[in-house]
Amino acid sequence: MTRMIIFTCALLLFVPSAHAMTLNDAVETALKNNPDVQIVRLEEGAAQGRLDQAGLLLKSNPVIEGSVSRKDTLPEGGEKVKNYGLRLSQEFELAGQRGLRVDAARSGREKVLQDIRDKERVLIAGVKDAFARALAANRKIELAEEVLKLQEELVASAAVKYQTGDISALEQNLADVELGKARRDRMLAERERREALLRMQELLGLKPSAGFTVEGALPSEAPVIPDRGKITAASFQRPDVQSAAAEVQQAKSAMKVASREAIPSVTVTGFYNQDDKLNEAGVMLSFPLPFFDRKQADRKEAAAKAGQALIKQASLERAIEGEIEAAHANLAAAAEELSLFKKEVLGKAVENLGLMNLAFKEGKFGFFEVRFAQKDTIDAQFAYLESQVRLQLALNAWEKATGGSLK
């Protein structure tokens, strides 16, 4: 007996316990493990590298050249001597291109950082939506079990009444059919929960686990709807808006760089030559003449990208206004729907069902009247659950559109 107790305790220690994940845990896990976010975060290192490259004091590396040759001392031939040559060249920009490249690279890095934040914003909204659906799936199982229990009680009561001749065989068979439907609905609810949890784990970047579950509550009270007009200005602080602004600034700086690079750079060369009679040292300057290549293509390309960035920024701002308008309307409708179900539908339906069940047992109502009352109550409970889910999804959409919560 003692060995069995020890063995059982050991099994309990090594069997992993099911951990119910909260919403905050889910968000933190997704931000840490989601592969799409991890990929975008790697762009920050590349952007920092471009900024470091742009900040180099000189754009090009110095060039060193050396030469060794032999020549005759006399035209007809004679003693051969060696000549040595050494050159060191460096190109210098004259139009301040370095500062403009730094500005462009700094704006590019800012764009990448805002893109990362925006990816996280979208991911958080997706996690909250998936979490709400997982909670709803849990609640559907609870409702399905309640329905199953009601049907079992109704079947038992119908069997007694059939034996006493109070109901017909048709009514008893109908009760059995409804019990079978309730069992099927319970199985479907379990499958829906399993699929919701699998989607949740995929979004969080976790391996599928049968012990994974979530805990929390769907909204039961309608929130105070904020003023639509006071939100638009704050929404333009969203990271995708900031990213678009940084892209515009980057494109403008790149356009200035392209214009400045049309001004040629000067190359300074120091040289030293040695032969049998003399040593020669000096400095040479070279300056290309921009007769043909004046960076026309680069300037046109930079101007086109700047124009595209401005159009993209304006289009995004218009889209955000429409997104906020839709989110506000959906939130108001979902809040009104929840209040309506809670105050006028759900409570009365549950009360009516209790009265009908009691009256059925006392023989005051028939089977079909009770069945209709059950169906109304069940439909009301599932509809109330759907209204809770819609409100939570509307809250998530509002937070995603405005870049913040209602608080």
Side-chain angles (χ1 to χ4, degrees):
M1 184 66 181
T2 305
R3 291 182 178 178
M4 286 296 297
I5 295 175
I6 296 175
F7 180 72
T8 304
C9 294
L11 285 178
L12 292 176
L13 287 175
F14 286 100
V15 173
S17 59
H19 172 64
M21 182 171 286
T22 65
L23 178 58
N24 291 334
D25 293 337
V27 170
E28 292 178 3
T29 302
L31 292 176
K32 179 181 178 182
N33 297 332
N34 185 269
D36 293 335
V37 172
Q38 290 177 336
I39 291 173
V40 174
R41 284 175 180 157
L42 293 176
E43 289 291 330
E44 182 180 357
Q48 184 61 50
R50 289 189 290 268
L51 178 59
D52 295 341
Q53 180 71 25
L56 295 176
L57 184 60
L58 296 174
K59 179 182 178 182
S60 60
N61 293 320
V63 178
I64 186 169
E65 301 174 273
S67 64
V68 178
S69 62
R70 293 171 61 88
K71 71 176 181 178
D72 297 329
T73 56
L74 298 174
E76 298 83 7
E79 183 181 358
K80 296 183 180 295
V81 297
K82 291 183 178 180
N83 296 327
Y84 301 94
L86 184 66
R87 290 172 176 260
L88 181 63
S89 303
Q90 178 63 58
E91 181 182 3
F92 294 93
E93 295 176 319
L94 303 178
Q97 294 95 325
R98 174 181 174 273
L100 294 174
R101 279 197 300 271
V102 170
D103 291 340
R106 187 177 290 115
S107 298
R109 183 177 181 275
E110 178 63 22
K111 179 183 182 304
V112 169
L113 293 176
Q114 296 299 334
D115 286 341
I116 294 173
R117 288 183 55 214
D118 189 57
K119 193 72 174 181
E120 293 173 346
R121 175 184 69 93
V122 174
L123 174 62
I124 290 173
V127 169
K128 290 184 176 181
D129 287 351
F131 196 88
R133 292 188 175 95
L135 290 178
N138 287 341
R139 178 56 181 157
K140 282 185 179 180
I141 288 183
E142 295 175 358
L143 290 176
E145 290 176 346
E146 291 178 9
V147 171
L148 181 59
K149 183 178 179 181
L150 284 174
Q151 294 299 340
E152 289 174 345
E153 292 176 354
L154 188 60
V155 166
S157 179
V160 173
K161 289 184 174 294
Y162 176 71
Q163 294 294 331
T164 59
D166 294 334
I167 63 173
S168 65
L170 175 63
E171 291 175 318
Q172 184 186 22
N173 291 337
L174 182 58
D176 293 333
V177 170
E178 294 299 327
L179 177 59
K181 290 182 179 179
R183 289 170 177 167
R184 181 205 60 186
D185 292 341
R186 173 64 175 79
M187 294 174 60
L188 293 177
E190 180 61 40
R191 186 181 69 179
E192 182 178 349
R193 180 177 69 171
R194 183 170 59 254
E195 293 174 351
L197 292 178
L198 285 175
R199 287 194 296 269
M200 185 81 183
Q201 292 175 82
E202 181 181 0
L203 191 61
L204 300 184
L206 300 176
K207 294 181 179 180
S209 173
F212 179 83
T213 184
V214 297
E215 66 177 5
L218 293 168
S220 58
E221 298 290 341
V224 178
I225 306 301
D227 185 3
R228 162 71 176 80
K230 296 180 180 179
I231 298 299
T232 303
S235 66
F236 286 108
Q237 300 301 317
R238 278 176 24 172
D240 53 345
V241 177
Q242 299 300 314
S243 174
E247 185 177 2
V248 169
Q249 188 60 43
Q250 181 186 17
K252 290 181 178 179
S253 297
M255 188 167 57
K256 292 179 181 179
V257 171
S259 298
R260 296 289 181 86
E261 286 185 342
I263 301 174
S265 301
V266 61
T267 300
V268 180
T269 304
F271 62 89
Y272 174 78
N273 295 320
Q274 180 185 21
D275 59 19
D276 62 324
K277 295 182 178 180
L278 54 86
N279 295 331
E280 181 185 17
V283 177
M284 182 173 60
L285 301 178
S286 62
F287 189 86
L289 299 177
F291 286 157
F292 307 107
D293 183 10
R294 296 188 295 275
K295 304 294 181 181
Q296 299 94 324
D298 293 343
R299 284 185 289 172
K300 289 183 179 180
E301 181 180 359
K305 289 184 177 180
Q308 291 171 348
L310 288 171
I311 294 173
K312 179 180 177 181
Q313 184 184 34
S315 176
L316 178 62
E317 291 176 355
R318 290 193 298 270
I320 288 176
E321 292 180 358
E323 185 179 349
I324 292 176
E325 188 68 35
H328 187 271
N330 292 337
L331 180 59
E336 182 179 1
E337 178 185 357
L338 183 71
S339 298
L340 176 66
F341 267 105
K342 188 172 183 180
K343 293 179 180 178
E344 302 182 12
V345 178
L346 185 61
K348 293 180 181 179
V350 173
E351 181 181 357
N352 291 340
L353 177 60
L355 295 175
M356 290 294 288
N357 284 335
L358 180 61
F360 175 70
K361 293 179 180 179
E362 295 176 353
K364 297 180 179 179
F365 287 100
F367 172 80
F368 290 103
E369 288 84 354
V370 176
R371 171 59 191 146
F372 287 143
Q374 280 188 343
K375 186 176 185 302
D376 289 343
T377 304
I378 293 168
D379 291 344
Q381 288 179 321
F382 277 102
Y384 176 67
L385 175 60
E386 292 298 328
S387 68
Q388 286 181 293
V389 175
R390 276 191 288 272
L391 177 57
Q392 185 61 65
L393 295 181
L395 288 169
N396 298 341
W398 175 260
E399 181 177 345
K400 179 183 176 183
T402 60
S405 63
L406 294 179
K407 298 179 181 180

